[in-house]
mmCIF file of all heavy atoms in Angstrom:
data_model
loop_
_atom_site.group_PDB
_atom_site.id
_atom_site.type_symbol
_atom_site.label_atom_id
_atom_site.label_comp_id
_atom_site.label_asym_id
_atom_site.label_seq_id
_atom_site.Cartn_x
_atom_site.Cartn_y
_atom_site.Cartn_z
ATOM 1 N N TYR V 230 -1.511 -10.980 -11.448
ATOM 2 C CA TYR V 230 -0.171 -10.672 -10.863
ATOM 3 C C TYR V 230 0.988 -11.402 -11.425
ATOM 4 O O TYR V 230 2.065 -11.510 -10.903
ATOM 5 C CB TYR V 230 -0.305 -11.061 -9.324
ATOM 6 C CG TYR V 230 -1.546 -10.546 -8.722
ATOM 7 C CD1 TYR V 230 -2.658 -11.190 -8.246
ATOM 8 C CD2 TYR V 230 -1.507 -9.132 -8.275
ATOM 9 C CE1 TYR V 230 -3.781 -10.643 -7.737
ATOM 10 C CE2 TYR V 230 -2.673 -8.525 -7.681
ATOM 11 C CZ TYR V 230 -3.794 -9.360 -7.499
ATOM 12 O OH TYR V 230 -4.917 -8.747 -6.955
ATOM 13 N N GLY V 231 0.769 -11.752 -12.823
ATOM 14 C CA GLY V 231 1.806 -12.372 -13.444
ATOM 15 C C GLY V 231 2.422 -13.746 -12.928
ATOM 16 O O GLY V 231 3.547 -14.179 -13.220
ATOM 17 N N GLY V 232 1.503 -14.377 -12.179
ATOM 18 C CA GLY V 232 1.965 -15.721 -11.653
ATOM 19 C C GLY V 232 2.401 -15.703 -10.169
ATOM 20 O O GLY V 232 2.376 -16.652 -9.504
ATOM 21 N N ARG V 233 2.585 -14.349 -9.616
ATOM 22 C CA ARG V 233 2.770 -14.203 -8.146
ATOM 23 C C ARG V 233 1.496 -14.373 -7.411
ATOM 24 O O ARG V 233 0.390 -14.160 -8.117
ATOM 25 C CB ARG V 233 3.486 -12.968 -7.929
ATOM 26 C CG ARG V 233 4.950 -12.817 -8.310
ATOM 27 C CD ARG V 233 5.897 -13.410 -7.289
ATOM 28 N NE ARG V 233 5.747 -12.847 -5.969
ATOM 29 C CZ ARG V 233 6.498 -11.772 -5.668
ATOM 30 N NH1 ARG V 233 7.216 -11.154 -6.626
ATOM 31 N NH2 ARG V 233 6.358 -11.198 -4.553
ATOM 32 N N GLY V 234 1.556 -14.623 -6.177
ATOM 33 C CA GLY V 234 0.291 -14.714 -5.385
ATOM 34 C C GLY V 234 -0.374 -16.051 -5.790
ATOM 35 O O GLY V 234 0.164 -17.113 -5.869
ATOM 36 N N ALA V 235 -1.583 -15.872 -6.141
ATOM 37 C CA ALA V 235 -2.475 -16.962 -6.705
ATOM 38 C C ALA V 235 -3.606 -16.495 -7.387
ATOM 39 O O ALA V 235 -3.902 -15.245 -7.317
ATOM 40 C CB ALA V 235 -2.915 -17.857 -5.354
ATOM 41 N N HIS V 236 -4.300 -17.318 -8.158
ATOM 42 C CA HIS V 236 -5.501 -16.926 -8.900
ATOM 43 C C HIS V 236 -6.545 -17.949 -8.745
ATOM 44 O O HIS V 236 -6.290 -19.227 -8.822
ATOM 45 C CB HIS V 236 -5.354 -16.738 -10.380
ATOM 46 C CG HIS V 236 -6.511 -16.233 -10.987
ATOM 47 N ND1 HIS V 236 -7.123 -15.013 -10.810
ATOM 48 C CD2 HIS V 236 -7.397 -16.978 -11.848
ATOM 49 C CE1 HIS V 236 -8.310 -14.992 -11.425
ATOM 50 N NE2 HIS V 236 -8.431 -16.195 -12.073
ATOM 51 N N GLY V 237 -7.768 -17.685 -8.494
ATOM 52 C CA GLY V 237 -8.841 -18.595 -8.248
ATOM 53 C C GLY V 237 -10.090 -18.127 -8.897
ATOM 54 O O GLY V 237 -10.127 -17.119 -9.462
ATOM 55 N N GLY V 238 -11.154 -18.864 -8.865
ATOM 56 C CA GLY V 238 -12.335 -18.454 -9.578
ATOM 57 C C GLY V 238 -12.231 -18.450 -10.958
ATOM 58 O O GLY V 238 -11.443 -19.221 -11.636
ATOM 59 N N GLY V 239 -12.942 -17.552 -11.740
ATOM 60 C CA GLY V 239 -12.928 -17.527 -13.132
ATOM 61 C C GLY V 239 -12.206 -16.291 -13.717
ATOM 62 O O GLY V 239 -11.676 -15.558 -12.859
ATOM 63 N N ALA V 240 -12.305 -16.056 -14.967
ATOM 64 C CA ALA V 240 -11.841 -14.743 -15.496
ATOM 65 C C ALA V 240 -12.678 -13.773 -15.343
ATOM 66 O O ALA V 240 -13.733 -13.779 -14.741
ATOM 67 C CB ALA V 240 -11.558 -15.092 -17.036
ATOM 68 N N PHE V 241 -12.331 -12.446 -15.719
ATOM 69 C CA PHE V 241 -13.026 -11.128 -15.361
ATOM 70 C C PHE V 241 -13.836 -10.667 -16.608
ATOM 71 O O PHE V 241 -15.034 -10.385 -16.332
ATOM 72 C CB PHE V 241 -12.033 -10.210 -15.047
ATOM 73 C CG PHE V 241 -11.113 -10.422 -13.879
ATOM 74 C CD1 PHE V 241 -9.917 -10.011 -13.691
ATOM 75 C CD2 PHE V 241 -11.638 -11.329 -12.858
ATOM 76 C CE1 PHE V 241 -9.152 -10.343 -12.562
ATOM 77 C CE2 PHE V 241 -10.876 -11.639 -11.745
ATOM 78 C CZ PHE V 241 -9.498 -11.147 -11.597
ATOM 79 N N SER V 242 -13.292 -10.626 -17.696
ATOM 80 C CA SER V 242 -13.918 -9.738 -18.770
ATOM 81 C C SER V 242 -15.202 -10.292 -19.263
ATOM 82 O O SER V 242 -15.457 -11.561 -19.292
ATOM 83 C CB SER V 242 -12.975 -9.617 -20.029
ATOM 84 O OG SER V 242 -11.896 -8.748 -19.637
ATOM 85 N N GLY V 243 -16.164 -9.437 -19.534
ATOM 86 C CA GLY V 243 -17.512 -9.791 -19.919
ATOM 87 C C GLY V 243 -18.442 -10.106 -18.933
ATOM 88 O O GLY V 243 -19.656 -10.463 -19.153
ATOM 89 N N LYS V 244 -17.978 -10.142 -17.569
ATOM 90 C CA LYS V 244 -18.845 -10.404 -16.476
ATOM 91 C C LYS V 244 -19.360 -9.262 -15.717
ATOM 92 O O LYS V 244 -18.412 -8.364 -15.279
ATOM 93 C CB LYS V 244 -18.224 -11.374 -15.478
ATOM 94 C CG LYS V 244 -17.776 -12.742 -16.080
ATOM 95 C CD LYS V 244 -17.057 -13.559 -15.131
ATOM 96 C CE LYS V 244 -16.792 -14.975 -15.742
ATOM 97 N NZ LYS V 244 -16.034 -15.791 -14.773
ATOM 98 N N ASP V 245 -20.598 -8.974 -15.408
ATOM 99 C CA ASP V 245 -21.062 -7.921 -14.533
ATOM 100 C C ASP V 245 -20.643 -8.236 -13.052
ATOM 101 O O ASP V 245 -20.224 -9.426 -12.799
ATOM 102 C CB ASP V 245 -22.580 -7.819 -14.696
ATOM 103 C CG ASP V 245 -23.394 -8.783 -14.001
ATOM 104 O OD1 ASP V 245 -23.657 -9.798 -14.574
ATOM 105 O OD2 ASP V 245 -23.635 -8.602 -12.710
ATOM 106 N N SER V 246 -20.803 -7.251 -12.221
ATOM 107 C CA SER V 246 -20.224 -7.363 -10.882
ATOM 108 C C SER V 246 -20.959 -8.274 -9.909
ATOM 109 O O SER V 246 -20.649 -8.445 -8.758
ATOM 110 C CB SER V 246 -20.125 -6.063 -10.206
ATOM 111 O OG SER V 246 -21.278 -5.191 -10.296
ATOM 112 N N SER V 247 -22.227 -8.809 -10.339
ATOM 113 C CA SER V 247 -22.865 -9.803 -9.472
ATOM 114 C C SER V 247 -21.981 -11.179 -9.441
ATOM 115 O O SER V 247 -22.081 -11.883 -8.577
ATOM 116 C CB SER V 247 -24.275 -10.059 -9.967
ATOM 117 O OG SER V 247 -24.244 -10.760 -11.196
ATOM 118 N N LYS V 248 -21.168 -11.320 -10.465
ATOM 119 C CA LYS V 248 -20.173 -12.386 -10.474
ATOM 120 C C LYS V 248 -19.106 -12.180 -9.532
ATOM 121 O O LYS V 248 -18.196 -11.251 -9.819
ATOM 122 C CB LYS V 248 -19.679 -12.779 -11.918
ATOM 123 C CG LYS V 248 -20.778 -13.416 -12.754
ATOM 124 C CD LYS V 248 -21.995 -12.448 -13.289
ATOM 125 C CE LYS V 248 -22.717 -13.093 -14.380
ATOM 126 N NZ LYS V 248 -23.876 -12.317 -14.672
ATOM 127 N N VAL V 249 -18.887 -12.882 -8.511
ATOM 128 C CA VAL V 249 -17.888 -12.504 -7.496
ATOM 129 C C VAL V 249 -16.527 -12.967 -8.097
ATOM 130 O O VAL V 249 -15.482 -12.590 -7.559
ATOM 131 C CB VAL V 249 -18.136 -13.321 -6.179
ATOM 132 C CG1 VAL V 249 -19.211 -12.546 -5.381
ATOM 133 C CG2 VAL V 249 -18.463 -14.683 -6.311
ATOM 134 N N ASP V 250 -16.497 -13.755 -9.143
ATOM 135 C CA ASP V 250 -15.198 -13.980 -9.929
ATOM 136 C C ASP V 250 -14.480 -12.628 -10.065
ATOM 137 O O ASP V 250 -13.338 -12.588 -9.964
ATOM 138 C CB ASP V 250 -15.470 -14.626 -11.290
ATOM 139 C CG ASP V 250 -15.965 -15.962 -11.236
ATOM 140 O OD1 ASP V 250 -15.767 -16.653 -10.199
ATOM 141 O OD2 ASP V 250 -16.351 -16.500 -12.304
ATOM 142 N N ARG V 251 -15.364 -11.701 -10.403
ATOM 143 C CA ARG V 251 -14.640 -10.296 -10.792
ATOM 144 C C ARG V 251 -14.633 -9.482 -9.425
ATOM 145 O O ARG V 251 -13.679 -8.931 -9.092
ATOM 146 C CB ARG V 251 -15.480 -9.633 -11.859
ATOM 147 C CG ARG V 251 -14.830 -8.363 -12.312
ATOM 148 C CD ARG V 251 -15.515 -7.965 -13.651
ATOM 149 N NE ARG V 251 -14.435 -7.248 -14.588
ATOM 150 C CZ ARG V 251 -14.645 -6.843 -15.767
ATOM 151 N NH1 ARG V 251 -15.778 -7.376 -16.408
ATOM 152 N NH2 ARG V 251 -13.671 -6.336 -16.485
ATOM 153 N N SER V 252 -15.922 -9.139 -8.944
ATOM 154 C CA SER V 252 -15.976 -8.216 -7.909
ATOM 155 C C SER V 252 -15.240 -8.557 -6.604
ATOM 156 O O SER V 252 -14.629 -7.713 -5.926
ATOM 157 C CB SER V 252 -17.577 -7.934 -7.555
ATOM 158 O OG SER V 252 -18.245 -9.081 -7.252
ATOM 159 N N ALA V 253 -15.339 -9.736 -6.143
ATOM 160 C CA ALA V 253 -14.524 -10.245 -4.997
ATOM 161 C C ALA V 253 -13.073 -10.194 -5.190
ATOM 162 O O ALA V 253 -12.292 -9.939 -4.264
ATOM 163 C CB ALA V 253 -15.028 -11.552 -4.577
ATOM 164 N N ALA V 254 -12.684 -10.406 -6.401
ATOM 165 C CA ALA V 254 -11.169 -10.413 -6.693
ATOM 166 C C ALA V 254 -10.767 -8.903 -6.634
ATOM 167 O O ALA V 254 -9.595 -8.681 -6.123
ATOM 168 C CB ALA V 254 -10.830 -10.904 -8.116
ATOM 169 N N TYR V 255 -11.589 -7.976 -7.061
ATOM 170 C CA TYR V 255 -11.237 -6.596 -6.882
ATOM 171 C C TYR V 255 -11.130 -6.172 -5.346
ATOM 172 O O TYR V 255 -10.212 -5.502 -4.962
ATOM 173 C CB TYR V 255 -12.319 -5.641 -7.581
ATOM 174 C CG TYR V 255 -12.172 -5.704 -9.098
ATOM 175 C CD1 TYR V 255 -13.133 -5.126 -9.886
ATOM 176 C CD2 TYR V 255 -11.235 -6.419 -9.774
ATOM 177 C CE1 TYR V 255 -13.230 -5.242 -11.243
ATOM 178 C CE2 TYR V 255 -11.131 -6.601 -11.173
ATOM 179 C CZ TYR V 255 -12.194 -5.962 -11.972
ATOM 180 O OH TYR V 255 -12.141 -5.893 -13.290
ATOM 181 N N ALA V 256 -12.163 -6.700 -4.604
ATOM 182 C CA ALA V 256 -12.216 -6.369 -3.246
ATOM 183 C C ALA V 256 -10.924 -7.005 -2.517
ATOM 184 O O ALA V 256 -10.408 -6.352 -1.618
ATOM 185 C CB ALA V 256 -13.462 -6.887 -2.609
ATOM 186 N N ALA V 257 -10.594 -8.103 -2.839
ATOM 187 C CA ALA V 257 -9.318 -8.811 -2.253
ATOM 188 C C ALA V 257 -8.093 -8.094 -2.561
ATOM 189 O O ALA V 257 -7.264 -7.883 -1.721
ATOM 190 C CB ALA V 257 -9.227 -10.272 -2.803
ATOM 191 N N ARG V 258 -7.964 -7.559 -3.804
ATOM 192 C CA ARG V 258 -6.820 -6.654 -4.153
ATOM 193 C C ARG V 258 -6.914 -5.402 -3.320
ATOM 194 O O ARG V 258 -5.775 -5.041 -2.783
ATOM 195 C CB ARG V 258 -6.845 -6.400 -5.649
ATOM 196 C CG ARG V 258 -6.014 -5.149 -6.129
ATOM 197 C CD ARG V 258 -4.651 -5.376 -5.797
ATOM 198 N NE ARG V 258 -3.738 -4.156 -6.294
ATOM 199 C CZ ARG V 258 -2.553 -4.039 -6.115
ATOM 200 N NH1 ARG V 258 -1.880 -4.858 -5.535
ATOM 201 N NH2 ARG V 258 -1.973 -2.857 -6.623
ATOM 202 N N HIS V 259 -8.005 -4.755 -3.170
ATOM 203 C CA HIS V 259 -8.071 -3.501 -2.407
ATOM 204 C C HIS V 259 -7.594 -3.761 -0.999
ATOM 205 O O HIS V 259 -6.895 -3.030 -0.404
ATOM 206 C CB HIS V 259 -9.534 -3.051 -2.459
ATOM 207 C CG HIS V 259 -9.798 -1.753 -1.675
ATOM 208 N ND1 HIS V 259 -10.695 -1.811 -0.604
ATOM 209 C CD2 HIS V 259 -9.356 -0.547 -1.734
ATOM 210 C CE1 HIS V 259 -10.627 -0.445 -0.068
ATOM 211 N NE2 HIS V 259 -9.845 0.158 -0.760
ATOM 212 N N ILE V 260 -8.078 -4.863 -0.403
ATOM 213 C CA ILE V 260 -7.701 -5.137 0.944
ATOM 214 C C ILE V 260 -6.112 -5.487 1.108
ATOM 215 O O ILE V 260 -5.439 -4.814 1.987
ATOM 216 C CB ILE V 260 -8.372 -6.435 1.471
ATOM 217 C CG1 ILE V 260 -9.967 -6.198 1.630
ATOM 218 C CG2 ILE V 260 -7.865 -6.937 2.834
ATOM 219 C CD1 ILE V 260 -10.788 -7.374 1.764
ATOM 220 N N ALA V 261 -5.621 -6.293 0.242
ATOM 221 C CA ALA V 261 -4.252 -6.580 0.270
ATOM 222 C C ALA V 261 -3.375 -5.478 0.136
ATOM 223 O O ALA V 261 -2.353 -5.197 0.761
ATOM 224 C CB ALA V 261 -3.927 -7.663 -0.807
ATOM 225 N N LYS V 262 -3.724 -4.522 -0.940
ATOM 226 C CA LYS V 262 -2.958 -3.362 -1.176
ATOM 227 C C LYS V 262 -2.932 -2.391 0.052
ATOM 228 O O LYS V 262 -1.827 -1.890 0.417
ATOM 229 C CB LYS V 262 -3.479 -2.617 -2.437
ATOM 230 C CG LYS V 262 -2.696 -1.365 -2.907
ATOM 231 C CD LYS V 262 -3.333 -0.722 -3.981
ATOM 232 C CE LYS V 262 -2.416 0.523 -4.515
ATOM 233 N NZ LYS V 262 -2.984 1.070 -5.787
ATOM 234 N N ASN V 263 -4.050 -2.188 0.741
ATOM 235 C CA ASN V 263 -4.153 -1.271 1.806
ATOM 236 C C ASN V 263 -3.476 -1.855 3.000
ATOM 237 O O ASN V 263 -2.870 -1.084 3.840
ATOM 238 C CB ASN V 263 -5.520 -1.032 2.136
ATOM 239 C CG ASN V 263 -6.122 0.114 1.288
ATOM 240 O OD1 ASN V 263 -6.251 1.312 1.606
ATOM 241 N ND2 ASN V 263 -6.682 -0.223 0.092
ATOM 242 N N MET V 264 -3.431 -3.209 3.109
ATOM 243 C CA MET V 264 -2.712 -3.839 4.292
ATOM 244 C C MET V 264 -1.169 -3.625 4.108
ATOM 245 O O MET V 264 -0.501 -3.335 5.111
ATOM 246 C CB MET V 264 -3.033 -5.335 4.311
ATOM 247 C CG MET V 264 -4.536 -5.786 4.518
ATOM 248 S SD MET V 264 -4.964 -5.616 6.195
ATOM 249 C CE MET V 264 -4.286 -7.150 6.830
ATOM 250 N N VAL V 265 -0.644 -3.725 2.838
ATOM 251 C CA VAL V 265 0.704 -3.564 2.688
ATOM 252 C C VAL V 265 1.017 -2.049 2.903
ATOM 253 O O VAL V 265 2.041 -1.655 3.518
ATOM 254 C CB VAL V 265 1.084 -3.949 1.146
ATOM 255 C CG1 VAL V 265 2.549 -3.576 0.898
ATOM 256 C CG2 VAL V 265 1.101 -5.452 1.076
ATOM 257 N N ALA V 266 0.222 -1.078 2.375
ATOM 258 C CA ALA V 266 0.381 0.245 2.567
ATOM 259 C C ALA V 266 0.454 0.748 4.074
ATOM 260 O O ALA V 266 1.160 1.543 4.410
ATOM 261 C CB ALA V 266 -0.612 1.069 1.700
ATOM 262 N N ALA V 267 -0.330 -0.024 4.846
ATOM 263 C CA ALA V 267 -0.457 0.283 6.313
ATOM 264 C C ALA V 267 0.600 -0.310 7.059
ATOM 265 O O ALA V 267 0.754 -0.017 8.183
ATOM 266 C CB ALA V 267 -1.770 -0.222 6.741
ATOM 267 N N GLY V 268 1.443 -1.152 6.460
ATOM 268 C CA GLY V 268 2.611 -1.674 7.156
ATOM 269 C C GLY V 268 2.313 -2.965 7.811
ATOM 270 O O GLY V 268 3.257 -3.370 8.718
ATOM 271 N N VAL V 269 1.256 -3.650 7.602
ATOM 272 C CA VAL V 269 0.955 -4.980 8.214
ATOM 273 C C VAL V 269 1.994 -6.013 7.882
ATOM 274 O O VAL V 269 2.405 -6.766 8.691
ATOM 275 C CB VAL V 269 -0.502 -5.292 7.945
ATOM 276 C CG1 VAL V 269 -0.767 -6.821 8.459
ATOM 277 C CG2 VAL V 269 -1.510 -4.366 8.543
ATOM 278 N N ALA V 270 2.296 -6.012 6.609
ATOM 279 C CA ALA V 270 3.414 -6.873 6.114
ATOM 280 C C ALA V 270 3.878 -6.465 4.804
ATOM 281 O O ALA V 270 3.310 -5.643 4.115
ATOM 282 C CB ALA V 270 2.764 -8.359 5.924
#
């Protein structure tokens, strides 16, 4: 996000999806995006 929001865990590239560094970051983005689109905030 270019420094907005926050970042945690590790980097993404080269990791299969059993590594939550990657898969859970994708899930968190999906949730946040749908929450904004739904008008929650």
Side-chain angles (χ1 to χ4, degrees):
Y230 309 102
R233 285 283 295 278
H236 179 73
F241 300 150
S242 289
K244 295 179 180 178
D245 76 271
S246 54
S247 70
K248 283 74 170 171
V249 284
D250 288 344
R251 186 169 212 163
S252 53
Y255 291 175
R258 161 64 179 173
H259 179 243
I260 294 168
K262 183 177 182 180
N263 278 266
M264 297 283 279
V265 171
V269 173

